[in-house]
Every structure is written in C-alpha cells, then in structure tokens.
Amino acid sequence: RFNGIFVVATNPLDVMTYITLKYSKLPANKVIGSGTTLDTARLRYILSEKVGVNTGNIEAYVIGEHGDSEFVAWSELSIGNIPVKSFSEQFNIEWDKETENVIATDVKNAAYEVINRKGATAFSVALALVRIVEAFLGDEKSILTVSTLLEDYLGVSNAYLSVPTIVGKN
C-alpha cells in the first residue's frame, strides 16, 4: 500500500488534485496540489523589492483557484508584523489600491512572462515543489498556500483551493 503523499502539479491544478484524491482513495491530507505556493513566493519577492525588506519578513498570500482567478489576500498582508498600510506610512512608501492592482497583475503575469521568454515555467515550478516536499519530509509544519481539500471553509466544501495550510508529515 502506498504510504506517501501525492503532490499534484498539472493543470487544471485544483481539478486534477481532486481527481487524484478520488482515484487514489487516500485521505485528503495525503493529496495536495502545488497550489499558489509559487505565486505567493513571487508576491513576496515583488513586495520585498517595493518596500526594501527581506522576503522572510513579509507575510503575504496568494489564495483561491490556481490560475487567473487567484487573488492576493491584501487584508492579511504584513511586513515585520505591521500591516502593510501602516508600514508604508511609517516608511513613506507609496501605497494605494493602484499599487495593489499593479502588484497583483505582476504576480499573475509572471508565469506568462517566463513562458514568453523561455517557453516554460518548469524550473520555478520545480522549486515550489521542492519547497513543499521539504516541508513534508522535514515535518516542518510550515504554512504554505497549497491546494487542499476544503471542508466547510468559509462556506466552501468538497473542493480544492489554495489557502494557507500547515504542511508537515501529516
């Protein structure tokens, strides 16, 4: 009997992860998708460039359906545990809805830019997968935005979407 974990990375990601769950007959905590882990990393990088702070000090998440309908959880964004609006005021950094729209668009379009320049996004996806597997194998209990089966999550059930999820051996 298979005793590992499936990490799905093919599109349409959330649908394929759900199908993997149904065919594998594994418990939901053993079938996850790469989700928006890469998009979240890209978001943190873009934010670090904007505010001049290391990505490790930025709490920001891209959540929802993997793909064009994903979105940034702006209300949860903090830098060094300070809400981004307070941080930007304190350090005199321009921050408004237009700034958020530009950043969100840059995150969404990053994959298309890579595809246009290199033909594929395989290396960056591989890095995201390595990060997820490291969290699983090392039982890190790291919070990653993987595609996970939601059950009564803000009214959503029986669907895979990317949300901040604790990733460890279980």
Side-chain angles (χ1 to χ4, degrees):
R1 171 133 168 110
F2 180 74
N3 195 27
I5 184 171
F6 276 107
V7 181
V8 180
T10 190
N11 286 323
L13 180 78
D14 301 306
V15 172
M16 294 305 291
T17 307
Y18 185 84
I19 289 170
T20 302
L21 172 73
K22 292 303 175 190
Y23 279 100
S24 71
K25 296 185 171 61
L26 290 171
N29 67 322
K30 298 293 184 178
V31 180
I32 61 174
S34 58
T36 57
T37 303
L38 176 56
D39 305 285
T40 293
R42 287 176 173 147
L43 170 64
R44 290 177 181 177
Y45 174 78
I46 290 169
L47 289 168
S48 76
E49 293 289 303
K50 171 82 175 155
V51 301
V53 173
N54 184 287
T55 58
N57 299 106
I58 297 174
E59 285 296 318
Y61 301 102
V62 176
I63 60 175
E65 181 185 16
H66 173 77
D68 290 338
S69 66
E70 67 191 25
F71 60 95
V72 176
W74 293 113
S75 63
E76 301 303 314
L77 196 155
S78 66
I79 301 166
N81 208 29
I82 302 169
V84 68
K85 292 196 185 224
S86 298
F87 184 91
S88 61
E89 288 170 5
Q90 184 176 349
F91 291 97
N92 211 20
I93 299 168
E94 181 183 337
W95 195 273
D96 55 20
K97 280 289 181 198
E98 181 59 27
T99 301
E100 291 177 357
N101 289 338
V102 168
I103 291 170
T105 300
D106 287 350
V107 169
K108 282 185 185 179
N109 290 337
Y112 298 120
E113 283 294 315
V114 172
I115 291 167
N116 285 339
R117 293 179 185 178
K118 297 174 99 177
T121 61
F123 294 115
S124 53
V125 172
L127 287 172
L129 292 170
V130 166
R131 178 68 194 102
I132 294 165
V133 171
E134 283 176 342
F136 172 71
L137 292 176
D139 195 23
E140 291 180 9
K141 297 175 183 71
S142 292
I143 297 175
L144 303 173
T145 52
V146 295
S147 183
T148 189
L149 184 67
L150 303 183
E151 294 298 343
D152 197 27
Y153 185 92
L154 302 174
V156 176
S157 290
N158 203 32
Y160 271 85
L161 292 172
S162 295
V163 296
T165 304
I166 300 170
V167 180
K169 68 180 180 182
N170 294 317

